[in-house]
Amino acid sequence: MGELDLIEQIRNNFACGSSKSVALGIGDDCAILHPPQGCEVLVTTDFTLEGRHFRRDLHPPESVGHRCLARGLSDLAAMGATPLAAFLSLALPAQILTESAGRAWITRFFNGFQALGEMHEVPLAGGDTSQSTGGKAGLILADIVLIGSAPRGKALRRSGGSAGDAIYVTGQLGGAAAELSAIQRRRPKRVARVTTTDGHPHLFPEPRLDAGDALLRRNLATACLDVSDGLSTDLAHLCRASGVNAEIEQAALPIHPLSRKRGAKAALQDALHGGEDYELLFTAPASVRMPSSIAGVPVTRIGALTKRRPGQPLMTLVAPDGSRETLKPSGWEHFSPTKNTAKKALKKRPR
Ligand code: ADP
Ligand code: MG
């Protein structure tokens, strides 16, 4: 199989015929998209790099494909956008296409990618395919671009929060970090075997597109972003963008059962700093009566935004006994050796 065969295979598997938004998909120099009337176009791009975001000896290929697409979809969800089309650029070591085990890896990668794409009706409208450098030791690199749409002026931003707003999160936190930790600890090391995508917050996270869409359409959120790097890091982004401080009530945090099993201390670390949960973190005026679930996903109030005051910490964690401590952004940050040394070595911690 060569590059052209691979593109042909991708094209056959991802017919865009049924998509209203893609006037011309894979096969020409550019795709042609038709955004809905009255909408703005939103664009996001995310790398998935072997050794950084996944390991071939630990992650099933379906999970790599799923997570590649999920990361882009989650960014659209965070803005309340509806996906129009995805574009996937792949760099592959030569033997992936020439050896049957490699071709099987690619097929399974696309199975995972496609299953999630079909669930959210996201057509794959193009991409690029290239051989990666490094011969046999070459790495698999994938870059996903997602194009979405949102009613003009309505996309949910990080910057709309005000002091007094309540802070909410969808779903549960810490599950992805807990599952990743279990996968990394397992001996002998092997590719995780899974029979269903349910209940695998690290391997098969669920982008919250329906919840983001509902927040936008029902005008429920003042600010929103997705929890990709960890609550502490992502909340800091929201606070800075909105010009406010935040208080988080530790007892209110909805901690994933996989994380709870690790004991109270580890569970709290997972929930605050774990990252890759791909839940939505959003704010709304205290007067808004927030439903207990949105688009079938539970919503939990975890704190409030407060006025920014000189000398006061950006974020405060309030313990169950009422004691307060500064909450530092300690989630994932690329190229920040000081921040990440407390965690496992960069290479060992795919993110
Ligand atoms: P060009 O050289 O003009 O950029 P290519 O030969 O790279 O064209 O691609 C041919 C067609 O196949 C294009 O429509 C492109 O979007 C699509 N394509 C290439 N690689 C991929 C991929 N990995 N996934 C989806 N579509 C792809
Ligand atoms: Mg090209």
Side-chain angles (χ1 to χ4, degrees):
M1 180 159 78
E3 179 191 329
L4 293 182
D5 302 313
L6 176 62
I7 295 175
E8 194 52 33
Q9 184 182 322
I10 296 170
R11 184 181 182 172
N12 291 335
N13 288 341
F14 292 88
C16 297
S18 57
S19 169
K20 275 192 301 224
S21 50
V22 180
L24 184 64
I26 295 173
D28 215 314
D29 291 308
C30 294
I32 303 178
L33 305 184
H34 282 169
Q37 285 257 315
C39 280
E40 290 174 318
V41 172
L42 291 85
V43 183
T44 174
T45 161
D46 284 283
F47 267 136
T48 294
L49 309 180
E50 182 173 8
R52 168 72 56 190
H53 303 96
F54 74 94
R55 286 173 50 169
R56 243 186 285 178
D57 58 347
L58 297 180
H59 289 86
E62 293 85 355
S63 160
V64 182
H66 176 109
R67 290 171 66 227
C68 173
L69 180 58
R71 300 178 66 201
L73 289 178
S74 181
D75 282 330
L76 291 183
M79 308 281 290
T82 303
L84 292 179
F87 295 81
L88 175 66
S89 292
L90 280 175
L92 303 169
Q95 83 268 17
I96 281 267
L97 295 185
T98 55
E99 292 175 3
S100 68
R103 288 196 295 272
W105 195 97
I106 285 295
T107 300
R108 292 178 58 190
F109 169 92
F110 274 107
N111 287 344
F113 187 100
Q114 197 175 357
L116 183 64
E118 281 174 2
M119 195 181 303
H120 295 287
E121 298 176 17
V122 190
L124 180 64
D128 199 18
T129 307
S130 172
Q131 195 170 312
S132 60
T133 54
K136 263 200 165 318
L139 300 176
I140 297 173
L141 314 169
D143 186 39
I144 186 81
V145 175
L146 272 155
I147 314 290
S149 67
R152 196 173 297 279
K154 295 280 191 199
L156 307 174
R157 303 180 185 208
R158 300 175 173 189
S159 54
S162 307
D165 284 2
I167 305 171
Y168 298 90
V169 68
T170 60
Q172 293 168 317
L173 298 172
E179 184 177 31
L180 173 61
S181 162
I183 290 169
Q184 286 182 314
R185 276 196 318 264
R186 198 160 40 204
R187 295 291 177 271
K189 207 165 60 177
R190 62 171 170 81
V191 176
R193 249 169 275 160
V194 290
T195 49
T196 163
T197 57
D198 290 342
H200 293 287
H202 170 71
L203 294 174
F204 296 99
E206 296 176 42
R208 299 302 190 192
L209 283 157
D210 292 344
D213 181 66
L215 288 175
L216 183 148
R217 285 183 200 285
R218 292 159 68 178
N219 247 321
L220 285 173
T222 47
C224 186
L225 81 174
D226 65 325
V227 182
S228 51
D229 294 332
L231 175 67
S232 61
T233 293
D234 291 315
L235 178 61
H237 294 324
L238 190 151
C239 286
R240 291 204 182 92
S242 293
V244 292
N245 290 348
E247 277 184 20
I248 294 295
E249 290 159 32
Q250 186 183 317
L253 292 170
I255 300 182
H256 195 284
L258 282 181
S259 188
R260 281 189 193 283
K261 277 204 316 219
R262 275 151 55 79
K265 205 170 157 211
L268 182 62
Q269 291 301 307
D270 286 348
L272 288 175
H273 313 300
E276 285 196 312
D277 285 313
Y278 298 113
E279 296 296 346
L280 299 183
L281 177 67
F282 63 97
T283 57
S287 58
V288 167
R289 281 192 57 189
M290 192 59 66
S292 60
S293 81
I294 291 178
V297 186
V299 168
T300 309
R301 183 183 188 281
I302 58 168
L305 298 181
T306 57
K307 253 211 177 86
R308 178 161 296 177
R309 291 205 174 83
Q312 294 225 339
L314 191 67
M315 301 180 293
T316 301
L317 184 67
V318 184
D321 67 3
S323 62
R324 304 160 67 84
E325 62 177 283
T326 299
L327 176 62
K328 295 225 173 76
S330 312
W332 185 253
E333 196 176 317
H334 281 291
F335 311 117
S336 175
T338 50
K339 282 222 171 129
N340 298 325
T341 40
K343 310 195 159 208
K344 293 184 187 95
L346 215 65
K347 277 230 293 277
K348 294 272 173 195
R349 190 184 163 85
R351 165 79 11 112

